[in-house]
Amino acid sequence: TCLADGMRESSKIHFVERAAVPPVLDGRLDDPVWKSARPITDFGPCGHTPRAAVVAKTEVRYLWDDKYLYVGTICHEDTPENFRNFMTEQLNRDKVVYARDCIEVHIDGNNDGHTRFQSWLNGTGDKQIIWHYDFGWGLLTDDNYGLNADWDYQVFIDEKNLTWTCEARYALAHIEVKPRAGYVFGIET
């Protein structure tokens, strides 16, 4: 997570609620089960973004069940002009999915800093997930991992409220997450 001060915080702990029933994957977070998932909202500029940059409000929620990890996000655009810019950028298929305005999710199922699943979610439903393994002396990457992995997402665009909502699910077995009492895994959104 990139927190409001713009610094990565590797020790922030968030308890992920178990879903009594799986949410319907429709891009809306209106299922009753999402109400039990506490939102994370303290995001700030990340990566190469200047610290003084204004970050539009973002809400992220997580759930899990026996088969999937669920990630629900609400991305707020702060002005109608920024919303139009977002929509225009989404439709520019000359750019790869991660070069457009998107949600980036990194999952370290073993919380060991070696294995990482990186996915990009955007307003058009374009999909990409990559598997990384860091040996410490080099990085092995599988750009085609998403072709066989069980994961999906849906998006809902709300022009009236200047938001776009994304609801994703990742098969636990395909992201090396093995929930049990006391289990800790890494996730960065």
Side-chain angles (χ1 to χ4, degrees):
T1 303
C2 285
L3 301 173
D5 66 1
M7 299 300 292
R8 289 188 187 269
E9 178 62 51
S10 61
S11 63
K12 184 174 184 176
I13 295 176
H14 180 79
F15 294 94
V16 178
E17 297 288 330
R18 183 180 176 88
V21 285
V24 175
L25 199 67
D26 60 4
R28 299 170 188 254
L29 302 184
D30 56 1
D31 301 278
V33 70
W34 282 116
K35 303 235 183 308
S36 69
R38 186 175 57 92
I40 299 171
T41 60
D42 55 346
F43 296 100
C46 293
H48 301 292
T49 306
R51 283 182 176 254
V54 175
V55 176
K57 181 180 174 186
T58 302
E59 303 170 42
V60 179
R61 293 171 172 82
Y62 303 105
L63 294 167
W64 69 280
D65 63 19
D66 290 335
K67 189 171 182 181
Y68 292 105
L69 171 68
Y70 301 93
V71 179
T73 60
I74 301 173
C75 301
H76 300 260
E77 297 297 331
D78 54 352
T79 66
E81 180 184 16
N82 283 346
F83 190 82
R84 282 190 302 277
N85 291 341
F86 161 76
M87 291 303 298
T88 299
E89 184 176 282
Q90 294 307 295
L91 299 173
N92 182 359
R93 294 248 171 33
D94 289 338
K95 291 182 174 180
V96 293
V97 64
Y98 54 82
R100 295 180 254 162
D101 195 350
C102 62
I103 299 164
E104 194 167 331
V105 180
H106 299 256
I107 301 168
D108 179 352
N110 299 310
N111 202 37
D112 62 5
H114 294 292
T115 303
R116 176 169 47 97
F117 300 88
Q118 180 177 9
S119 63
W120 294 271
L121 320 170
N122 72 7
T124 61
D126 294 340
K127 293 173 58 171
Q128 185 169 9
I129 188 169
I130 296 176
W131 171 85
H132 302 274
Y133 186 81
D134 187 347
F135 291 96
W137 48 265
L139 187 66
L140 178 63
T141 301
D142 182 353
D143 292 338
N144 296 316
Y145 184 80
L147 298 176
N148 297 315
D150 180 5
W151 78 290
D152 200 6
Y153 76 97
Q154 295 295 320
V155 174
F156 176 70
I157 306 291
D158 185 350
E159 293 182 49
K160 179 181 174 193
N161 292 308
L162 305 179
T163 62
W164 61 287
T165 305
C166 182
E167 198 170 22
R169 71 172 177 233
Y170 301 85
L172 298 175
H174 292 179
I175 55 173
E176 298 182 10
V177 171
K178 302 167 190 99
R180 61 192 175 280
Y183 181 73
V184 176
F185 69 98
I187 189 164
E188 181 179 327
T189 306

